Each structure stands twice: as C-alpha cells, then as structure tokens.
Amino acid sequence: MAEEDYGSFVDWTQMGDLANSSGPTNVDSKDLKEFKQMARQGYWAKNHKLRAQVYQQLIKAIPCRTVTPDAEVYRDLIGDAANKKPSTHIPLPDFVDGNPVPRYCLKTDAVASAHRIINCVAGQFPDISHCPALPAVTSLLLHFSADEAQCFEQVSRILACNEPGKRLLDQTFLGYESSCMTFGDLANKYCAPAHKLIVATAKDVLEVYSDWQRWVLGDLPFSHVVRVLDVYLVEGYKVLFRVAIALLKFYRKHKVGGQSGQGNQQQLDSGKIRADIQAFIKGIASTVTPDKLLEKSFSIRLFSRKEITLLQLTNEKSLQQKGITVKQKRRNVQLALNPETFSSEIVSAKEMHDIWSWIPERFALCQPELLFTTSTHGCSLNRFYSHCEGHEPTLLLIRTTAGDVCGAFLSSDWEERKRGGNKLSFFGTGECFVFRLKPEMERYEWVVIRHPELASSIKTEGQEDTASPEGQKAENSLQQPDKPAGELSPFLSARHFNLNSKNTSMFMAGNFDSIIVGGGEGNALYIDSELNHGRTGRCTTFDNPPLCSESFQVSLLEVWGFQDAMAQ
C-alpha cells in the first residue's frame, strides 16, 4: 500500500517535522516487551507509514467480542454516502458529553468524516452511554487509516476489547466518574505538591480533575498526543493516568515558577482553574518536548495497573452505593407540583420547587409526601419518629415564631438512631445538607464536598461517631495530617472514610429527648423533645452560620418524604 494512502485525511502543511518521514521502515519484533520498549523510545515516531502499520498490527491483536463490526459493516451502512462529502453539521451523539472532534492537523473534510464514523459507532454500540474521549481517539486514528471504514474498524476494536481486567476507553458514566475519583487518589499520592496546589486554589477539586482525560486526549498538541498513543496502544489505559499525572506536575512547576513568592493563594472558581490548566497544556510544546513528557510519565515509581484497577473498583462500588451510575441533566428535571393538591403551612409551591433543585438527582422525579406536621400530629418527638421511620430520605422544614424558615435534607432513615443503643450517635451520609429560606435563601452542604482534602481513608466496619453535647468544643483540629501512601478517594461519602476530625461527619442524630442535625463545635439544628424549642449555630460538618435566631421557638414543624412518581 502506498504511503500516501495512510495520509489522505492529513493536512501535511500543519505537520511540521512529522511531515518528513525518516528512520526505520519496518518492525520485525512481535515480542510485547520489545514493543513496549520501542513505543517508549519512539522507534516508529518519525515514519508515518510505519506508525500506521504498527497501529494496524496492535489493534488487530486486541481480543474482542465475537461479533465486532469491521470495515465491511461500515461500508454496508454508509453505502452510496461514502462517495459523498461528509458534513460537520451532523451532531455527535450525546455520549461524547459535548466534546468536539479535535482538529489534530486534519483536513476540514476529515473532521466531518470523524463525525460520520462516530455516529456509525453509536449505532453499532448501543450500550455506550458515556465516552467523552471517543472524538479525540477517532481523530487520531484517522491520521493512520486508509479510509473511513478502516478507521471505523479500529475504533470498534478498541471499544469491543474484552480482555479480562483490561480497559481502553471508559464507556459509561460510572466508569468515567470513578476514573476521575481515581485520578484524584493518584494525584494525592504521586504528586502531592501539585495536588495541594489545586486544593489551595480551586473551590471544587473533583471538578478540576474531571478534565483529566481531556488533558491527554483533547488538549495536548498532536506532536505530543501521538507519542502517548504509541505507548497507549501497547500498554493500555494506565498510560493515560501516568501522562495526566506528569502534566499536573509540569503545571505546578509552571505556576510556581511564575510566582515571585508563594504567599496567600486565593481560591478561585473551579472553571478558571480548569481553563488555566487547559491553556497550559495546549501550549506545552514551548517548554516540554514529547520525549520529556513521556520520560516524566514513566519516572513515577510503584505505579501499577493493579493499584489503578483496585481504586477504580472501589470508587465504582461507592458510586453505585450512592445511586450515581448515570449522568443526569438537572436542567431537564422539574418538580411537577399540583398547586391544588400540594399543601404546606411553611413553604409555597415555588419555594418547594427551589428546595427540590438542591436534592440529589436520583430523587428529583419523586413527589413530596407529607409525613408529619405538628399542626396535625402534635408536638411529640415519639410521634415524629413513628411517622418518619421507614422513610429515606426526608426533608425537615421549620418555621419559627419570628417568621424565619429553615430546614435540612436528611439522607438516612431515622430508625438508624436505634443502632447506637442508648447513646446519642450520629449517622447519615454526605448527601445531607441544611438550608434557610427566610429571610434569605441559602444552602450549606457537607464541608468535605467543598474541601475534599479533609477526607482520608476507609472506615472500619461498624465504626460510629458518638454525638457530643450541643455546643461542646471538639478536641480534634481540622488541620489535615500527612496522609499515608495508598489511601483511597477523598471524594466519597463519609461512611467510606476516616475523617481527620470526627466532627466533620456528624450529619444527624436523635434519641428520646432531642433531634440534632450537624455537629462539631455546635449544631446546625437542635430541637427538644417537645418540638417546641430549638437552637442553631455554626457546626463543623456543614460550616454554616446560624440558620435563624440562635435560640428560637418552633411555630410549626413539617417532615416530607419522597414518593416515587413512577410507582403511583
């Protein structure tokens, strides 16, 4: 096959030195270890035709499902359209999450070809629900394909890989989200100074790390990403983690080098940090060569596929336990309240709409169901428990005699309080939050969501946090201790982790004489056994100010459950 057949999609005027093929013209070895060494050293990096042939060989060797669509399937699907100019106006599937096809020195028509290929892939792989890296991978493989059909087959084989324990691309939101959390774990362990920089400057660390794959497959210049692809096709998914960690290290060096002093670092909107990292990576060619990037990536010691796999599995399991398995678009979910049937003496239908916009997305389609109200059931804590037990989650609403309105979203069944015996023990998860509606509307989430650096390792089974009396000062400081190597994700709910201070995970507690929401240096809400008197103050768990007057009388208290609208 002629060399130019492999470059029909390439705009050679943009390729620079890569436009001039040189070096070896063939690879004799079939030994995987030798291939790995050659890939890292860039054995075929200067010869476009040889690189294309090596890619064909490597991708053909990927173990795949029995029925994997090939080039002939693509030709049958496209038919006469193969002779027509493709259009970039064809929208990409939702599963790419809005990620465009990177140009990567391709002709304009080639970008349109990538759109056509990806849409054909979507039709052949209906099980793919989230694969934001696919546009970049398709664009890269077009460089080394004789036609669209060949590129389609290569992409299909990568997606259809069924080798046990091996993954090449995330294809579900669960897999992708757990990979972002895993990257956070690895960043914390293998490049702690860079991780601390992100923690110090970004309000939401996980939001910044959610871009980690795009740094490699999307933001890197073509000269760099194609060298990553050389190694990735030989060694697999772990290469992406290694390169992203190296990029984070270079970014820190860039930021520290550009500062005359490391004084007080102001926390910025996470979007600004994401844009800053993206701009640095897109311009990395001016300071870091492709070889230097790979050298840094593979200089990280004790970084194994086994460790990544264990972290991924742990994080996936934790997400599943929280019910987070698909990406949900909250903007399309609205609480459909019937003003004629909805009746609360504390909030209006509009205010309930506003509260519903805060709750975890898997409950967003549920309908509010009134479980308890002091106006009907009286001011009895026993009746409060009897009406609320068996319901999870619940929404607590309080109106004071001064007219203030506040409350809490409580993730766990109040029956869990019995597990502590006669002790007043905290329970619940990091999905709990407190809020106030009047005089102004404000929500206060678990402090670890805003500051994930406060979290540390896995909790031992059966470990509980004992509630301290309201207002008692905590002995433990919030100062983050040095973390031992190998700890798991700092981004999960409290039940999975030891926190350096127990009072950062005091969500809800109750016994015969009171209910408490939030703990540590005070309580966000404390209500007495007669549901008549309450107190509110700053607490460590939610880092909230008092939700109303610090000492208040309860005018009315309501508890709402979540009724599955689909089950009605």
Side-chain angles (χ1 to χ4, degrees), residues 254-313:
H254 160 74
K255 295 302 290 184
V256 171
Q259 295 171 352
S260 55
Q262 295 188 38
N264 293 329
Q265 292 171 314
Q266 183 180 0
Q267 278 202 328
L268 301 174
D269 177 75
S270 301
K272 293 181 179 178
I273 302 297
R274 294 168 70 185
D276 191 46
I277 295 175
Q278 183 181 37
F280 166 74
I281 294 172
K282 285 187 172 183
I284 198 170
S286 62
T287 54
V288 180
T289 65
D291 286 338
K292 188 175 179 181
L293 175 61
L294 288 183
E295 181 184 345
K296 175 70 79 173
S297 302
F298 291 102
S299 66
I300 304 169
R301 302 189 63 190
L302 306 177
F303 191 104
S304 68
R305 178 181 293 156
K306 182 179 179 181
E307 178 182 22
I308 293 170
T309 301
L310 289 173
L311 286 170
Q312 289 270 103
L313 291 173

Side-chain angles (χ1 to χ4, degrees), residues 475-493:
E475 295 178 4
N476 294 329
S477 165
L478 277 179
Q479 180 65 36
Q480 173 76 347
D482 291 335
K483 295 183 179 181
E487 289 180 346
L488 299 180
S489 176
F491 305 115
L492 305 180
S493 63

Side-chain angles (χ1 to χ4, degrees), residues 439-457:
E440 66 273 336
M441 178 179 282
E442 193 68 50
R443 171 179 62 157
Y444 303 96
E445 296 179 291
W446 183 29
V447 66
V448 174
I449 293 176
R450 299 192 300 277
H451 301 286
E453 70 275 12
L454 297 177
S456 71
S457 65

Side-chain angles (χ1 to χ4, degrees), residues 463-519:
Q463 181 178 349
E464 292 182 349
D465 299 326
T466 304
S468 57
E470 193 265 341
Q472 180 176 324
K473 297 291 182 182
E475 295 178 4
N476 294 329
S477 165
L478 277 179
Q479 180 65 36
Q480 173 76 347
D482 291 335
K483 295 183 179 181
E487 289 180 346
L488 299 180
S489 176
F491 305 115
L492 305 180
S493 63
R495 65 180 177 273
H496 301 291
F497 300 100
N498 272 331
L499 299 169
N500 56 308
S501 176
K502 285 185 180 179
N503 51 24
T504 58
S505 59
M506 294 179 171
F507 300 112
M508 52 193 290
N511 62 6
F512 63 91
D513 65 0
S514 65
I515 57 174
I516 293 173
V517 179

Side-chain angles (χ1 to χ4, degrees), residues 331-348:
R331 62 180 180 274
N332 294 331
V333 177
Q334 293 186 357
L335 172 61
L337 278 180
N338 185 339
E340 295 181 4
T341 58
F342 173 75
S343 178
S344 168
E345 297 179 71
I346 297 180
V347 296
S348 66

Side-chain angles (χ1 to χ4, degrees), residues 168-201:
L168 290 172
L169 286 178
D170 293 316
Q171 299 175 43
T172 65
F173 182 71
L174 178 64
Y176 178 78
E177 192 73 358
S178 66
S179 79
C180 296
M181 294 159 59
T182 298
F183 179 78
D185 300 327
L186 297 172
N188 184 38
K189 179 177 179 180
Y190 292 105
C191 59
H195 175 69
K196 288 177 181 176
L197 173 67
I198 301 300
V199 167
T201 55

